[in-house]
Amino acid sequence: MNTETTAENKKAVKQDLFESPDFYNIDDLLTEEHKLIRSSIRDFVKKEITPYIEDWAERAHFPYEIVKKFGDIGAFGPTIPEEYGGGGLDYISYGLIMQEIERGDSGMRSTASVQGSLVMYPIYKFGSEEQKKKFLPKLASGEMLGCFGLTEPDHGSNPSGMVTNFKDMGDHYLLNGAKMWISNSPKADVAVVWAKNEEGRIHGLIVERGMEGFTTPETHGKWSLRASTTGELVFNDVKVPKENLLPGKSGLGAPMMCLDSARYGIAWGAIGAAMDCYDSAVRYSKERIQFGKPIGGFQLTQKKLSEMLTEITKAQLLNLRLGQLFNEGKATTAQISLAKRNNVDMALKIAREARQIHGGMGITGDYPIMRHMANLESVITYEGTHDIHLLILGKEITGIPAFE
Ligand code: TGC
Ligand code: FAD
């Protein structure tokens, strides 16, 4: 083993020398504001996430203090108007923020994208003025943490079958049921919960920590997204004030609109994870000597690196166009599915190839590869599995739903 090279690489990882590939000069298509936002989030990630993330992940520790820090840098609700504490930014800025945070860790991006797209977005889009004023500024600043409860133990890919329900008791609603696999839930102050009324119509309710009968047990034993906290939401005769119902929209379309925004963020985030794996693989391949030369000098390594760069570049172009469509209010659910599905799959394949390039070192926490790879196994499942997105595309192409 060339110990000198290994030590050098470890040092490089600790210092976080990450540089993003921009093979097609896509930066030329970004505004100065986009680039400024990206570099400020990148600096934040290099200072506040990458030096600690391997330790957090190893200990399955959610660094709660990151919530306030994310609030301070504007990572929560970047597209929400400034009057409610949001950033008032466009969707490309939002995408770049998610990309940079997930370059650090998918679990950290989860915390940010759930808060912005799945908690602040529904309150902004479907909430009353009182709800917006009460919750959005505190969620934006990180004073409050939120979570989004759609998935149930028996209803994952098929949320329309949900059994969580609420009854109108005159002066309040009575909520019963359970949600599982909920990011942020063990630490959340508020949960946006999707439940059926007595007619079986889905509505969103804001459930607040401290309401009697509401608990959030943590899910343990995850080998993926270990620095993100995941749990259940359990509702046992919870009295929810009537003013906590989101009045603006009902039906499955309401949570689906939130998912459109969050899936878009994931499509960008996945590029971040892929770029981190690629960057580490390029550096390692130039430094690691075998058979008397850097392993980057072998054709098989070059094939891996060339294919990684090709896929990252294609995904970058895809996202930029999707971001433009989002900014124009034209992005469709199927277009978002295509990007989420393609980019997460691409990132997972790149993580696996990068792991190969790092040889045995690739399985250690000295490099970010194995953590990204394990994280991406969740990312390819949540917010619609890889196959559900394929079926969404299939329905768009043929007009025939093949979900059941
Ligand atoms: P379907 O018949 O297609 O639609 C039912 C109603 O909803 C409407 N709708 C939409 N409206 C607006 N925007 C969208 N994107 C919409 N998608 C659907 C639709 O028009 C219809 O309305 P109406 O008025 O006619 O009733 O519904 P379906 O039951 O056949 O389901 C379709 C399917 C399977 C695609 C959908 O259920 C699905 O996407 N399943 C995947 C579930 C999922 O993605 N769960 C995510 C949970 S949250 C999460 O994972 C967070 S992880 C976050 C992190 O940590 O980062
Ligand atoms: P299932 O729906 O049981 O699917 C199992 C397999 O069957 C998959 O391969 C799927 O593609 C396949 N399948 C299902 N239906 C079909 C079909 N019609 N045709 C072909 N194949 C099909 N949910 C939330 O609401 N909020 C959160 O914050 C949240 N965070 C999460 C965090 C983590 C770490 C994880 C792992 C999940 C999270 N989820 C969250 C839940 C996530 O959205 C679900 O796991 C996901 O939607 C899939 O549901 P499921 O796990 O029940 O799998």
Side-chain angles (χ1 to χ4, degrees):
M1 187 174 80
N2 182 337
T3 47
E4 207 175 302
T5 303
T6 307
E8 181 64 27
N9 269 281
K10 280 187 193 174
K11 207 169 125 215
V13 168
K14 289 227 165 63
Q15 286 178 353
D16 192 356
L17 301 172
F18 173 75
E19 285 170 36
S20 57
D22 182 19
F23 198 61
Y24 265 37
N25 300 346
I26 295 167
D27 270 13
D28 293 352
L29 305 175
L30 300 177
T31 63
E32 286 311 311
E33 188 184 35
H34 291 146
K35 286 185 258 190
L36 199 64
I37 289 166
R38 183 183 56 190
S39 78
S40 74
I41 305 290
R42 186 168 299 173
D43 290 347
F44 173 85
V45 168
K46 285 189 178 195
K47 185 162 165 267
E48 302 287 352
I49 296 181
T50 47
Y52 314 107
I53 188 63
E54 296 297 340
D55 175 57
W56 296 337
E58 204 171 312
R59 291 191 287 120
H61 169 70
F62 172 63
Y64 182 75
E65 63 282 2
I66 204 79
V67 176
K68 187 75 190 64
K69 291 178 185 175
F70 275 153
D72 291 344
I73 58 161
F76 293 147
T79 61
I80 301 287
E82 286 168 283
E83 61 174 303
Y84 298 115
L89 299 172
D90 73 349
Y91 272 86
I92 292 172
S93 304
Y94 169 51
L96 289 166
I97 293 171
M98 295 301 114
Q99 172 187 290
E100 292 305 314
I101 296 177
E102 191 149 2
R103 205 278 299 174
D105 188 72
S106 303
M108 295 292 99
R109 195 269 307 135
S110 264
T111 302
S113 60
V114 166
Q115 181 97 334
S117 285
L118 297 180
V119 181
M120 294 175 69
Y121 176 89
I123 294 174
Y124 170 64
K125 210 71 188 169
F126 316 130
S128 65
E129 199 50 39
E130 292 70 35
Q131 290 167 344
K132 290 184 211 183
K133 287 197 176 120
K134 179 175 174 189
F135 295 107
L136 290 179
K138 287 185 179 167
L139 288 161
S141 66
E143 205 179 316
M144 268 188 175
L145 182 66
C147 68
F148 174 89
L150 182 65
T151 305
E152 297 189 352
D154 293 329
H155 301 94
S157 296
N158 177 26
S160 64
M162 71 174 65
V163 293
T164 298
N165 65 87
F166 63 98
K167 288 197 175 94
D168 190 336
M169 306 303 281
D171 61 342
H172 65 270
Y173 297 118
L174 201 62
L175 178 66
N176 277 289
K179 301 285 175 180
M180 94 179 275
W181 289 120
I182 308 304
S183 300
N184 297 352
S185 94
K187 297 280 182 195
D189 302 290
V190 287
V192 170
V193 176
W194 302 94
K196 284 179 178 166
N197 68 9
E198 284 146 290
E199 287 77 50
R201 184 86 181 154
I202 294 171
H203 286 265
L205 297 153
I206 304 172
V207 181
E208 298 172 66
R209 185 169 295 281
M211 287 180 175
E212 212 180 318
F214 172 44
T215 50
T216 60
E218 187 168 3
T219 302
H220 295 286
K222 290 181 298 163
W223 287 102
S224 172
L225 293 188
R226 287 173 62 78
S228 158
T229 181
T230 314
E232 298 167 44
L233 300 173
V234 182
F235 315 106
N236 195 356
D237 281 340
V238 181
K239 284 185 184 174
V240 180
K242 285 202 151 174
E243 63 264 25
N244 280 30
L245 182 103
L246 296 176
K249 189 168 169 70
S250 64
L252 188 65
M256 284 297 142
M257 282 171 67
C258 308
L259 290 176
D260 280 351
S261 168
R263 290 166 176 174
Y264 168 76
I266 291 179
W268 282 86
I271 295 185
M275 292 197 304
D276 203 39
C277 293
Y278 169 78
D279 180 65
S280 184
V282 170
R283 195 167 295 121
Y284 191 84
S285 74
K286 289 182 188 169
E287 291 165 354
R288 174 71 176 164
I289 311 289
Q290 286 296 285
F291 297 96
K293 68 175 185 183
I295 58 168
F298 298 118
Q299 286 183 352
L300 288 175
T301 308
Q302 291 189 2
K303 176 175 188 287
K304 289 184 177 69
L305 294 173
S306 302
E307 287 175 352
M308 286 183 198
L309 182 60
T310 305
E311 292 308 317
I312 288 170
T313 304
K314 281 154 67 177
Q316 287 171 328
L317 288 164
L318 189 65
N319 274 10
L320 188 68
R321 178 62 190 141
L322 187 60
Q324 290 167 343
L325 290 170
F326 248 97
N327 284 342
E328 293 163 12
K330 290 187 199 157
T332 67
T333 297
Q335 287 168 337
I336 298 160
S337 282
L338 188 153
K340 192 268 184 185
R341 182 173 186 276
N342 178 78
N343 293 4
V344 178
D345 188 51
M346 171 279 296
L348 197 46
K349 285 178 178 149
I350 284 179
R352 288 176 185 145
E353 290 293 78
R355 218 287 305 144
Q356 298 265 19
I357 289 175
H358 287 76
M361 290 308 295
I363 72 157
T364 71
D366 288 346
Y367 296 91
I369 317 298
M370 201 72 183
R371 179 174 45 78
H372 280 309
M373 195 195 304
N375 283 343
L376 288 162
E377 290 291 347
S378 286
V379 182
I380 203 164
T381 287
Y382 66 34
E383 306 246 7
T385 68
H386 191 62
D387 286 343
I388 288 295
H389 288 295
L390 178 134
L391 295 177
I392 291 172
L393 283 168
K395 179 182 169 191
E396 180 78 5
I397 295 163
T398 64
I400 308 166
F403 302 110
E404 42 186 287

